[in-house]
Amino acid sequence: MSEQNKPRATVITERSPVPLPRSQGATILVVEDNLMLNRSLCELLRAHGYQVLTACNGLEALDLLRSKPVNLVLSDVVMPDLDGYGLLRQIRGDPQLFPLPVVFLTGYATPSDRLKAKEHGVEDYLVKPPDYGELLATIQNVLSRRMMIEESYQRQVEEVRNQILGLVQHEFRTPLTFVMGYAEFLHSALNEEIERAELQHSVEAILEGSRRLHHLIENFLTLAGLNERTLDPSELYPLDPIALWRESLIPLRGDVERARLRVVLEEPPDPVIAFGAFDLLREALVRLLDNAIRYRRLEPATIWLSTAVRPGYVGWLIRDQGPGIPADRLAELARPFNRLPRSPGGAHGAGLGLALAQRVAQLHGGFLSIESEEGVGSTFGLWVRDTEPE
């Protein structure tokens, strides 16, 4: 029997005698071309406290969605002009409508029909004729899940907002205070004699504060750009991992010397080739090196740079003799703005370096690994796929 000839239900069965709790005024868009069923659904939902909008096909539904706020779409699948799957594609392709939950209501209940609906992103799938209790319970559950997701998202947004505020108050304000304070001192002393040592100290303080601000701003902009970035296979080239380590050390050579840090580059026993975007990977490795320098021990220490392979991946490893990381902090450390307490040397970054390195690894189909033991040190690994792009 063809889909067009399958029977279409027009009534709602009512086998649940106990009404569910009334909603808090959520708006539901009912999309159904069978007028009798459409009317029955609307009456049922209004009776249980929902605000209801109605459409007879996907095109009408899109017009309503783009003009009025809706909390959930209850849609038939087979409709004229634009069917349920077409409507779903339009919703998921619209950044404003993308999060909107969609529940399918259809007369086709084969396992393949259900699987297809789930694969296309529907929240739930109900079969006509719908049961009174099941329909209301499904709507209530979908709305409750959506509310929980939104509340969790808002909590995360608030957490990030507070972290950014804390970052701005300290990490940005401190170097800016240095720059402004010494610049004002120099300005006030324009007509006075200044000893060369005092002048040099003031200029160096301004430069150090400027460099720190520049570093923070570059990290912000780089991470923001990476979040919108994708990699085309044409951007990936064969790379020598150890040679890339050497390249990544160049911009930090002065920091390594000032930290009295010994760097050991461990050559692999057999040649290793990785495929990746050179500039992005070097940027990520620089961040890992900078992290090791910031969180070094006070006494002269060593870091070991190496490469490794595991099934399907090639990795750059950096092992340090830092203070180590508490086990309960490892999982969250690569998220933006999550930082360790200050190192013994007083270093404290913005919590963006590891997040940046992780994003670069993800762009290459890989991941960032962190192993650590408090009081001993940590090993960070940036892993990428070992296959040549097609």
Side-chain angles (χ1 to χ4, degrees), residues 293-328:
I293 295 170
R294 285 176 178 272
Y295 288 93
R296 69 188 184 279
R297 294 180 181 178
L298 283 178
E299 69 272 16
T302 301
I303 58 172
W304 291 265
L305 309 180
S306 62
T307 186
V309 295
R310 60 169 63 178
Y313 296 93
V314 175
W316 287 263
L317 303 182
I318 177 169
R319 179 165 59 93
D320 63 40
Q321 293 177 310
I325 304 167
D328 61 350

Side-chain angles (χ1 to χ4, degrees), residues 77-367:
V77 174
V78 178
M79 296 179 293
D81 299 325
L82 185 67
D83 66 5
Y85 285 106
L87 174 60
L88 184 61
R89 283 192 295 272
Q90 291 290 329
I91 291 173
R92 296 294 178 253
D94 188 323
Q96 300 298 320
L97 301 177
F98 177 82
L100 189 62
V102 177
V103 175
F104 271 175
L105 186 62
T106 177
Y108 314 133
T110 67
S112 61
D113 290 325
R114 290 181 178 273
L115 180 61
K116 179 182 177 182
K118 293 290 186 180
E119 288 176 345
H120 281 73
V122 297
E123 293 287 332
D124 216 323
Y125 183 102
L126 297 174
V127 180
K128 299 177 184 179
D131 174 71
Y132 172 93
E134 184 183 11
L135 174 64
L136 294 173
T138 296
I139 291 173
Q140 187 68 39
N141 289 337
V142 169
L143 290 173
S144 296
R145 286 199 304 269
R146 183 60 53 177
M147 183 176 296
M148 291 171 61
I149 292 172
E150 290 177 355
E151 289 175 350
S152 175
Y153 174 75
Q154 291 300 324
R155 285 195 299 270
Q156 293 176 19
V157 169
E158 184 67 17
E159 180 182 346
V160 171
R161 187 186 72 86
N162 291 335
Q163 289 171 331
I164 292 175
L165 286 176
L167 181 69
V168 170
Q169 289 174 359
H170 186 272
E171 297 299 328
F172 277 87
R173 181 177 289 173
T174 300
L176 186 59
T177 301
F178 263 75
V179 171
M180 293 180 65
Y182 281 101
E184 288 172 357
F185 165 74
L186 292 176
H187 183 267
S188 65
L190 284 175
N191 298 321
E192 301 177 10
E193 291 289 334
I194 304 177
E195 293 185 6
R196 181 177 179 82
E198 194 171 13
L199 176 62
Q200 181 176 346
H201 175 73
S202 299
V203 172
E204 287 177 351
I206 291 173
L207 287 173
E208 176 59 28
S210 300
R211 291 191 189 101
R212 187 169 169 184
L213 281 172
H214 180 265
H215 180 74
L216 288 168
I217 292 169
E218 283 298 311
N219 274 349
F220 267 109
L221 295 178
T222 301
L223 184 59
L226 288 176
N227 285 334
E228 303 296 326
R229 179 78 187 274
T230 58
L231 277 182
D232 188 270
S234 63
E235 299 180 75
L236 309 182
Y237 293 92
L239 303 170
D240 179 347
I242 293 298
L244 190 53
W245 266 133
R246 292 192 181 96
E247 288 285 338
S248 304
L249 277 167
I250 293 174
L252 296 174
R253 191 171 291 160
D255 294 328
V256 170
E257 292 175 358
R258 284 189 290 273
R260 298 166 61 205
L261 197 60
R262 176 171 170 258
V263 179
V264 177
L265 205 58
E266 298 179 332
E267 297 277 353
D270 300 308
V272 176
I273 296 295
F275 293 91
F278 176 85
D279 290 341
L280 286 180
L281 289 171
R282 180 178 57 182
E283 189 76 28
L285 296 181
V286 167
R287 294 307 195 280
L288 293 181
L289 285 164
D290 180 67
N291 188 70
I293 295 170
R294 285 176 178 272
Y295 288 93
R296 69 188 184 279
R297 294 180 181 178
L298 283 178
E299 69 272 16
T302 301
I303 58 172
W304 291 265
L305 309 180
S306 62
T307 186
V309 295
R310 60 169 63 178
Y313 296 93
V314 175
W316 287 263
L317 303 182
I318 177 169
R319 179 165 59 93
D320 63 40
Q321 293 177 310
I325 304 167
D328 61 350
R329 295 294 308 278
L330 286 176
E332 63 185 41
L333 199 58
R335 286 168 29 202
F337 311 113
N338 279 279
R339 303 171 289 176
L340 288 173
R342 289 187 181 277
S343 70
H348 202 340
L352 296 175
L354 294 181
L356 189 150
Q358 177 171 262
R359 180 57 184 154
V360 169
Q362 291 170 343
L363 285 172
H364 288 79
F367 58 93

